Amino acid sequence: MRNKEVAQKFYELAGLSELAEENPFKVRAYLEVAQQIENLPVPVEVLAENEKLTSIKGVGKASANKILQYLNTGRIDKLEELKEKIPLSLLELKKVPELGARRAKILFDTLGIESVESLKKAAIQGKIRNLPGFGEKIEKKILEGLKDIRSRQMERISIGIALPLAESIVEELKESSSIEKIEICGSIRRMKRTIRDIDILVVSGNPVPVMDKFVSLDLVKNVIVRGEKKSSILSRENVQVDLRVIQRESFGAAIQYFTGSKEHNIKIRELANKRNLKVNEYGVFDLETNKCITSETEESIYESIGLPWIPPEMREDRGEVEIAIEGRLPELVKLSDIKGDIHLHSLYSDGINSIEEMARQAVQLGYNYIVITDHARALGVANGLSIERYKGEREEIERLNRKFAPFKIFLGTELNILSDGSVDFSPEELALFDICLAGIHSGMNQEKEKITNRIIKAMSYKGVKVITHPMGGLIGRRDNYALDLDSVFREAKNRNIAIEINASPQRLDLDDINARRAKDMYSLNFEVGTDAHSIEAMKDMRYGVGVARRAWLTKDDVINTFSSAKFEEFIGGKR
DNA sequence: GCCGTTTTCGGCCCGACTGTTTTCAGTCG
């Protein structure tokens, strides 16, 4: 799968073309190609082989040829030409606040600056303030921005950090009597697994005190911009928070605008234009009379351009607008569809709550069943269980099942996929369990072929029904394994094994793009599990469901939406 | 460079904020 690298080349084409001051629409066209390929649910090289490249939205003849050239030779003539004129490193400069293509080009042309280091030097020497389009203030902002650039670039944070942070900001702001309504928008509302900034929308007829309160919140490190309608701050954790204040009558248009994604909004606005309408954050307007058609609800915004309401998780310009036009939007799986959490760790291994406490929490969450999947023997650091100890666990579960009926607890295990692909127990021993999950917990740095074959071998053990956290990364902390996911998906399909969407905010693994691919290409079953080690963490299910919705999964795709009976059937009808 | 239920040419989302300007360009989302 070479989608990422091909997309990267088109980002470079876009960036350098912009610096070379080519037609801005050409730049946008390259960007569109990059994004479409990045989000493509199938390998671009497969489309290339079948001469289907131009079936990708935004890919015409010229781009198709560039893709082919890259796939065949590893280079693109056009890109090489651009690189001769403009160093690739200039694209780094654009990451500095206040620097876009225009100013980056001026820096290069006048002072020969082509790296962050030489930029810093020039700024300290006061050489930048006198350039056209610059000034003292911008020079100062650049220097300050350079200080933050490391932490700010710490890239994206998990939604598991961003959403609670956003919720706490909302709680604090709510104290203001000027606020009629407040909503978290942006990529958090779209449930993206990683977040760059927090967007909050406020309805108020009196914006000034709202802005006052916002910029003086405890968590504010510095104020980036401060206006009547819009302000931005940088939090102590180096997360940017944007606040937009609008009037009540614009709410629907504003939440649509502020939820994004940018690419989705562009699609929507283009569609509106074709109908002689204009969409902005204040409403939908007739282009001729400039009269507002509608603005109050998000549904009405979509309706006015002939579309059904599109769930925020789908708004990425990954084909959702096209199928919405055709009236073929899927009914996405919902949190309330989840009937059980089937990846849980109790006190028996490294959890901090008893099975009974977890069962109570599950009942509280509205589930009909859970599977306790404590770590198995080989994971010593997590107090992995021997078969004998699992037998003790089985006894306790049976006792609890009499107490909690009709709610049901199943005995599972999270097996370790060992370095040769075997698991902790013999086939006879595995028969003890109602269901086995299996995941890699060691030897994560093995080479691609080896690690892929390990998982494939583990799937051959009878009783293994789920592969946990298949990609193996930890958000912001550890890379994914080198893994041939397609081989894993193919084998999972053959053996009717479900692939996990791990809902723990540290993981969120599979991610949405791969999950969608697994559904589109292999029609796999999925399991959304919290991997909770506490009753608190059982609430993380919302993040996993978010990923599932972003992958366009429906209720039927997710095995833990099944009724108890159907779930038992899936795991083999035992007990 | 892409695209077409008005178009194979002439369009291509839209607005807020800031700083450098003296009416607007650049950046950002």
Side-chain angles (χ1 to χ4, degrees):
Chain A
M1 174 111 151
R2 301 178 66 185
N3 298 10
K4 262 240 159 81
E5 46 175 314
V6 175
Q8 174 61 27
K9 291 296 150 192
F10 277 85
Y11 280 122
E12 290 174 5
L13 270 172
L16 291 184
S17 306
E18 191 185 16
L19 287 164
E21 290 169 86
E22 295 208 24
N23 178 353
F25 297 108
K26 193 193 268 194
V27 175
R28 209 188 103 179
Y30 287 141
L31 267 183
E32 165 88 6
V33 173
Q35 279 152 0
Q36 288 297 333
I37 291 180
E38 204 170 30
N39 291 326
L40 208 60
V42 295
V44 66
E45 58 270 29
V46 171
L47 292 181
E49 277 166 33
N50 301 324
E51 296 179 5
K52 285 273 162 53
L53 284 173
T54 50
S55 70
I56 304 169
K57 281 231 100 192
V59 176
K61 224 169 170 189
S63 293
N65 284 334
K66 289 185 176 67
I67 295 170
L68 284 175
Q69 195 195 6
Y70 179 74
L71 288 175
N72 292 331
T73 68
R75 52 171 276 146
I76 299 171
D77 290 340
K78 169 90 186 181
L79 183 58
E80 298 302 321
E81 278 169 35
L82 284 166
K83 278 191 201 165
E84 284 186 11
K85 280 193 280 180
I86 299 159
L88 205 53
S89 61
L90 264 195
L91 297 183
E92 287 299 303
L93 284 191
K94 292 207 304 172
K95 292 182 182 165
V96 179
E98 309 301 320
L99 291 187
R102 189 80 213 179
R103 292 193 184 125
K105 186 73 184 337
I106 290 172
L107 287 168
F108 177 61
D109 288 343
T110 56
L111 301 176
I113 290 171
E114 53 178 273
S115 71
V116 174
E117 290 73 40
S118 51
L119 170 70
K120 190 171 181 182
K121 215 187 232 169
I124 290 171
Q125 292 170 348
K127 283 183 179 169
I128 286 175
R129 62 184 66 179
N130 298 322
L131 298 176
F134 290 79
E136 256 181 77
K137 283 199 175 167
I138 289 191
E139 185 180 79
K140 192 162 159 243
K141 280 193 175 181
I142 288 173
L143 271 173
E144 271 167 19
L146 283 171
K147 256 190 288 172
D148 278 337
I149 198 163
R150 279 221 100 127
S151 45
R152 204 190 285 228
Q153 266 195 336
M154 263 253 294
E155 284 294 318
R156 318 182 61 98
I157 56 172
S158 165
I159 188 168
I161 297 169
L163 178 50
L165 178 60
E167 285 169 336
S168 71
I169 295 170
V170 164
E171 280 313 306
E172 251 192 281
L173 287 174
K174 264 188 182 167
E175 291 167 10
S176 165
S177 57
S178 304
I179 291 182
E180 283 176 43
K181 201 172 199 170
I182 181 163
E183 297 284 346
I184 299 167
C185 300
S187 50
I188 298 184
R189 183 160 181 247
R190 302 199 311 278
M191 293 301 279
K192 215 168 159 173
R193 75 195 262 284
T194 60
I195 305 294
R196 199 191 305 279
D197 54 24
I198 294 173
D199 299 308
I200 298 174
L201 177 67
V202 162
V203 174
S204 172
N206 191 14
V208 176
V210 178
M211 290 304 184
D212 283 342
K213 173 134 187 135
F214 177 61
V215 298
S216 57
L217 288 174
D218 267 353
L219 60 84
V220 174
K221 184 164 123 188
N222 57 55
V223 178
I224 301 169
V225 293
R226 155 78 200 250
E228 277 263 308
K229 298 175 172 173
K230 181 182 152 183
S231 295
S232 297
I233 60 103
L234 194 65
S235 83
R236 285 210 213 91
E237 304 89 344
N238 288 310
V239 180
Q240 183 170 329
V241 186
D242 299 337
L243 185 76
R244 188 74 199 256
V245 181
I246 47 100
Q247 304 288 312
R248 185 189 312 142
E249 59 269 21
S250 307
F251 179 74
I255 192 170
Q256 196 284 326
Y257 150 76
F258 215 27
T259 297
S261 65
K262 185 180 168 187
E263 291 74 20
H264 172 86
N265 285 353
I266 289 175
K267 273 281 143 66
I268 295 298
R269 289 170 178 201
E270 282 173 351
L271 205 59
N273 286 348
K274 285 179 194 154
R275 295 174 173 246
N276 275 318
L277 298 170
K278 178 180 80 167
V279 176
N280 60 26
E281 58 264 55
Y282 301 107
V284 181
F285 299 83
D286 186 306
L287 267 179
E288 267 142 46
T289 62
N290 212 24
K291 237 182 72 190
C292 181
I293 311 282
T294 183
S295 64
E296 278 180 37
T297 69
E298 202 175 40
E299 287 79 1
S300 74
I301 304 300
Y302 284 98
E303 197 191 337
S304 70
I305 51 172
L307 296 179
W309 180 83
I310 299 175
E313 295 91 338
M314 295 182 77
R315 300 182 195 169
E316 298 289 346
D317 190 22
R318 293 180 186 165
E320 74 280 5
V321 176
E322 289 78 3
I323 67 163
I325 291 171
E326 297 165 14
R328 294 195 296 118
L329 282 177
E331 185 158 342
L332 303 181
V333 60
K334 301 185 294 290
L335 185 56
S336 59
D337 290 329
I338 300 291
K339 292 291 185 296
D341 194 341
I342 70 169
H343 186 173
L344 298 169
H345 298 276
S346 77
L347 273 176
Y348 275 81
S349 60
D350 58 346
I352 62 168
N353 287 106
S354 68
I355 298 176
E356 178 159 0
E357 286 167 332
M358 299 194 103
R360 283 190 195 288
Q361 174 78 324
V363 171
Q364 196 70 38
L365 293 170
Y367 298 157
N368 297 340
Y369 54 90
I370 53 174
V371 183
I372 300 293
T373 56
D374 277 307
H375 290 291
R377 189 165 62 196
L379 202 59
V381 289
N383 191 23
L385 276 67
S386 64
I387 279 292
E388 286 314 305
R389 288 178 63 216
Y390 276 118
K391 284 180 180 163
E393 193 168 38
R394 159 77 71 200
E395 280 171 25
E396 177 171 353
I397 285 174
E398 281 175 0
R399 183 174 60 75
L400 289 170
N401 270 335
R402 286 192 288 276
K403 187 169 169 181
F404 281 85
F407 179 85
K408 190 150 183 192
I409 308 167
F410 295 94
L411 176 67
T413 172
E414 187 181 14
L415 298 168
N416 299 290
I417 300 176
L418 303 172
S419 60
D420 63 352
S422 64
V423 297
D424 306 67
F425 303 118
S426 70
E428 298 73 41
E429 290 171 319
L430 290 179
L432 173 71
F433 302 101
D434 298 324
I435 174 174
C436 299
L437 281 49
I440 287 181
H441 297 98
S442 61
M444 302 172 194
N445 296 324
Q446 285 178 333
E447 61 195 36
K448 191 170 186 174
E449 201 185 336
K450 200 158 181 195
I451 210 155
T452 304
N453 287 335
R454 271 169 80 187
I455 297 185
I456 286 173
K457 181 170 172 196
M459 286 194 272
S460 71
Y461 287 87
K462 193 161 183 286
V464 171
K465 288 289 177 186
V466 176
I467 296 298
T468 58
H469 40 74
M471 305 199 302
L474 294 176
I475 292 173
R477 299 219 315 266
R478 187 175 75 205
D479 288 340
N480 294 330
Y481 327 126
L483 184 67
D484 178 4
L485 266 179
D486 282 279
S487 299
V488 172
F489 290 161
R490 218 171 291 127
E491 186 70 6
K493 181 63 194 171
N494 288 340
R495 295 187 179 274
N496 193 26
I497 286 174
I499 295 293
E500 178 170 75
I501 292 175
N502 189 295
S504 164
Q506 304 175 38
R507 293 188 182 269
L508 296 173
D509 166 9
L510 281 179
D511 62 21
D512 49 338
I513 291 180
N514 282 307
R516 184 166 166 208
R517 194 156 62 87
K519 172 174 173 161
D520 281 0
M521 293 182 68
Y522 304 97
S523 314
L524 288 189
N525 286 312
F526 299 86
E527 171 260 343
V528 183
T530 59
D531 199 354
H533 289 66
S534 68
I535 56 173
E536 197 51 39
M538 290 171 73
K539 296 180 190 163
D540 291 339
M541 188 63 84
R542 62 172 170 167
Y543 303 119
V545 171
V547 172
R549 290 170 63 84
R550 289 178 60 81
W552 298 20
L553 302 191
T554 66
K555 192 178 162 196
D556 295 337
D557 298 318
V558 179
I559 61 170
N560 51 314
T561 64
F562 295 172
S563 67
S564 301
K566 192 171 173 196
F567 179 69
E568 278 190 66
E569 196 181 306
F570 175 80
I571 65 182
K574 290 200 306 178
R575 291 185 179 263

